[in-house]
Amino acid sequence: MKPVILAVDDDLAVLGAIERDLRQHFRADYRVLKANSPAEGLETAKELATRNAPVALFLVDQRMPGMTGLELLREAMKIHPKSRRVLLTAYADTDVAIAGINDIALDHYLMKPWDPPEERLFPVLDDLLAEWRANTVPTFDGIRVMGSEWSPESFVLREFLSRNRVPYQWVDLDHDAAALALAESAAGGLARLPLVAFPDGTLLVAPTQAELARKAGLMGEASRPLYDVVIVGGGPAGLANAVYAATEGLRVVVVEAVATGGQAGTSSLIENYLGFPAGVTGADLAQRAVAQARRFGAEFLSGQDVVGLRREDPYRIVMLRDGSELSAFTVVITTGMSARTLDVPGIAPLQGIGVYYGAAMSEAARYRGKHVCIVGGANSAGQGALFFSRYASKVTMLIRAADLRPTMSAYLADRIRGVANLEVIPGVEVESVAGSNGLESITVKSAQSDERQTIAASAMFIFIGVKPHTEAFAGTLERDESGFLLTAADLPQAHGRPRGWTLERAPFAFETNVPGIFAAGDVRSGANRRVAAAVGEGSAAIYSVQHYLRTV
């Protein structure tokens, strides 16, 4: 975008002359804006700051009602500190202008009239603008997230944008005075963070993920009143199901609460996935799958939580948190799993500001050169440890087992043993954590004795097992004792058939106790919890969906 020259004068005749001369000389490289009052000028400056549009130069009259030119510039420089400042004065105002040089670092003052502009206006502004360009980094033209580095809410939104591959600029209000002034002015204070500014000038204050997804263009809206299949969950199983459903010509929509890819999408490297001998990141695999599904006509609704299911034969109704509903003949549930939380003293206030569940790859740069700990010993923990070892000065893995091998693939355990700055402490569990504005220390206890040790660390990434995302289906679909969905032959039996089953036929593969509702991938009881297995189940389940559709 072109940088702005903003002229402010309450005399409309003078303002018109200023605008005419500025446009004549600078319009090729700058956008010339005008305001005919101090209030309008300050409001324009605030709007430009919200849009992250750079103001190269303010050209402001000194004598205006309600606010002088110097007072206006003093306020404007809080949100545009790098802009050049020029005051238009009468002869009697020269002492004020000279005082302004000392008071607000006024760059220049010009006495009216400035005719001819080729001699008395343009040379001065040319020099100031050349100096501004030489010392100004091009601005980021995209979404900006403004908050505190130690705000858990800021971390949640940053992670949401990162996982959805939406470019954004992080602005730490603790280290950016101009952004702080803008936040205080535009949001009426700092009681609610973060603030998210968009290129169109929109400012969201402490938005929910759904609000952010809607504004960022992620959520979308259902284009049809009725689908053949609604897929709940955009992990590997759901994405595979979407690809094969779309290639079969079915009308399909995928509903994802956070980001496509699921838990696999946070993996820094999947090395044992067929066809990728050098490995593939979870984010890249998800992005490829989404593009493939879209190519065949699948729709995606991101940032939408499913809160329940309803049966209205022959339809299955998916209820969303925003009150809307999706109607379909079939539903495939592929909601996968999320990390189990660690319940120890001190952990709750540090979540998102030193304590994280999963890899949280967007935080790698923050902990460059620092000590981080990984809690857990499965493959996901191992991949996370290897990823952070490229940034951190030291990575310590804390595992309950005596060795990595019982829960980790051999190739991964061997790689970890060969990394110089990666240490494994076996036979321990986290007892407590401590820190004020961030994590400072972790106390671990031996699993075999009362021996304890305290480890100084800046971050802790937790991989201690998972639980299924099935709360929304409780009371509707049969689940096992751990909450995983039961399907087909695993359904509880009564009188030689699934309990409550009213059809003459047996359930199809992957079908739950409600005909037309299927489950695939990690959310299904008895599933082999590997990325490739989830993709396989998602692919295979579509054939059961097709069998069912022939009966509707």
Side-chain angles (χ1 to χ4, degrees):
M1 66 177 73
K2 288 183 180 180
V4 171
I5 297 175
L6 178 58
V8 185
D9 199 311
D10 66 311
D11 187 322
L12 293 179
V14 174
L15 186 61
I18 295 172
E19 181 187 25
R20 178 200 64 216
D21 289 344
L22 293 178
R23 288 187 185 278
Q24 173 188 335
H25 190 71
F26 296 108
R27 64 185 176 187
D29 300 311
Y30 297 88
R31 187 158 53 111
V32 177
L33 301 179
K34 64 179 180 179
N36 64 4
S37 72
E40 183 184 346
L42 195 55
E43 187 61 33
T44 301
K46 290 178 180 178
E47 182 179 342
L48 290 169
T50 302
R51 295 172 180 265
N52 207 26
V55 178
L57 184 140
F58 287 95
L59 187 59
V60 178
D61 184 45
Q62 167 61 10
R63 294 192 177 189
M64 294 184 291
M67 181 183 289
T68 67
L70 286 181
E71 290 171 337
L72 170 59
L73 289 172
R74 184 179 292 110
E75 293 301 312
M77 67 187 291
K78 293 177 182 178
I79 53 178
H80 295 282
K82 298 180 180 180
S83 304
R84 295 297 177 256
R85 299 174 283 277
V86 178
L87 195 67
L88 293 175
T89 68
Y91 182 78
D93 296 325
T94 54
D95 289 344
V96 174
I98 292 172
I101 294 175
N102 297 320
D103 185 20
I104 64 165
L106 187 69
D107 292 294
H108 204 86
Y109 67 93
L110 292 169
M111 285 188 290
K112 300 182 288 188
W114 55 83
D115 290 330
E118 291 78 11
E119 297 179 10
R120 302 181 61 187
L121 179 66
F122 298 152
V124 171
L125 301 189
D126 282 337
D127 287 346
L128 291 175
L129 291 169
E131 182 183 1
W132 177 84
R133 279 193 175 276
N135 292 281
T136 302
V137 177
T139 58
F140 176 76
D141 186 17
I143 296 172
R144 289 180 298 150
V145 180
M146 295 176 279
S148 169
E149 181 180 7
W150 305 114
S151 162
E153 295 79 11
S154 296
F155 163 74
V156 168
L157 292 192
R158 290 164 61 193
E159 185 74 358
F160 176 78
L161 290 172
S162 296
R163 289 192 58 189
N164 281 284
R165 295 168 290 281
V166 177
Y168 71 93
Q169 181 185 52
W170 165 244
V171 181
D172 189 344
L173 295 180
D174 297 329
H175 299 94
D176 192 319
L180 179 62
L182 172 64
E184 290 177 328
S185 174
L190 301 177
R192 300 172 63 206
L193 291 177
L195 286 74
V196 184
F198 293 83
D200 65 358
T202 303
L203 187 69
L204 297 182
V205 181
T208 64
Q209 289 186 18
E211 291 170 337
L212 182 57
R214 185 177 293 108
K215 179 60 183 176
L218 294 172
M219 184 173 290
E221 295 182 356
S223 67
R224 303 173 185 273
L226 179 65
Y227 291 86
D228 293 312
V229 56
V230 173
I231 300 169
V232 183
L239 292 174
N241 197 263
V243 169
Y244 282 93
T247 57
E248 294 296 329
L250 300 182
R251 297 165 297 179
V252 56
V253 61
V254 181
V255 184
E256 169 54 46
V258 181
T260 54
Q263 286 295 299
T266 67
S267 178
S268 57
L269 193 67
I270 302 170
E271 295 187 88
N272 57 356
Y273 191 77
L274 183 67
F276 291 87
V280 60
T281 68
D284 187 35
L285 186 64
Q287 188 173 14
R288 290 168 181 257
V290 170
Q292 192 174 22
R294 287 187 189 279
R295 177 189 169 202
F296 292 112
E299 298 178 27
F300 286 83
L301 303 182
S302 295
Q304 283 277 29
D305 277 319
V306 171
V307 297
L309 292 172
R310 190 170 72 251
R311 176 179 179 178
E312 294 182 4
D313 288 331
Y315 310 115
R316 303 295 177 259
I317 311 300
V318 176
M319 297 175 284
L320 306 180
R321 188 173 299 281
D322 65 2
S324 62
E325 297 181 341
L326 297 172
S327 299
F329 292 113
T330 64
V331 175
V332 180
I333 298 171
T334 59
T335 46
M337 303 180 293
S338 61
R340 292 190 183 278
T341 57
L342 183 63
D343 185 17
V344 298
I347 200 168
L350 295 175
Q351 187 170 340
I353 55 172
V355 174
Y356 308 92
Y357 290 94
M361 290 183 287
S362 63
E363 301 304 295
R366 182 193 294 192
Y367 298 108
R368 187 183 297 275
K370 298 180 180 180
H371 181 197
V372 304
C373 288
I374 305 293
V375 182
N379 279 5
S380 56
Q383 292 290 4
L386 289 172
F387 173 76
F388 283 105
S389 70
R390 303 188 333 235
Y391 299 89
S393 61
K394 181 180 179 180
V395 175
T396 299
M397 293 190 71
L398 307 173
I399 63 173
R400 296 190 62 181
D403 186 66
L404 291 172
R405 275 296 292 120
T407 56
M408 186 178 293
S409 297
Y411 81 92
L412 200 51
D414 291 341
R415 286 191 59 197
I416 287 172
R417 295 187 187 99
V419 178
N421 67 334
L422 208 166
E423 174 191 22
V424 178
I425 301 180
V428 295
E429 56 188 27
V430 176
E431 185 174 64
S432 65
V433 298
S436 52
N437 291 324
L439 181 67
E440 296 172 5
S441 64
I442 304 168
T443 298
V444 298
K445 177 181 178 296
S446 170
Q448 305 298 325
S449 67
D450 289 333
E451 182 182 354
R452 291 171 175 81
Q453 63 175 306
T454 299
I455 302 169
S458 298
M460 178 171 71
F461 298 88
I462 302 169
F463 304 80
I464 57 169
V466 289
K467 60 181 179 180
H469 284 301
T470 59
E471 295 83 358
F473 317 120
T476 302
L477 303 181
E478 294 278 5
R479 304 187 297 170
D480 66 15
E481 64 278 3
S482 298
F484 293 92
L485 295 180
L486 294 166
T487 60
D490 293 329
L491 288 168
Q493 301 289 306
H495 307 295
R497 59 191 305 121
R499 187 169 59 198
W501 189 261
T502 58
L503 301 182
E504 292 185 5
R505 67 169 177 85
F508 295 129
F510 306 105
E511 196 167 18
T512 67
N513 59 293
V514 177
I517 298 181
F518 302 82
D522 290 354
V523 74
R524 192 180 65 81
S525 179
N528 178 6
R529 294 179 175 92
R530 288 285 190 268
V531 175
V535 170
E537 288 202 4
S539 305
I542 202 61
Y543 294 103
S544 292
V545 168
Q546 288 179 301
H547 283 308
Y548 177 84
L549 289 174
R550 295 190 190 104
T551 70
V552 177

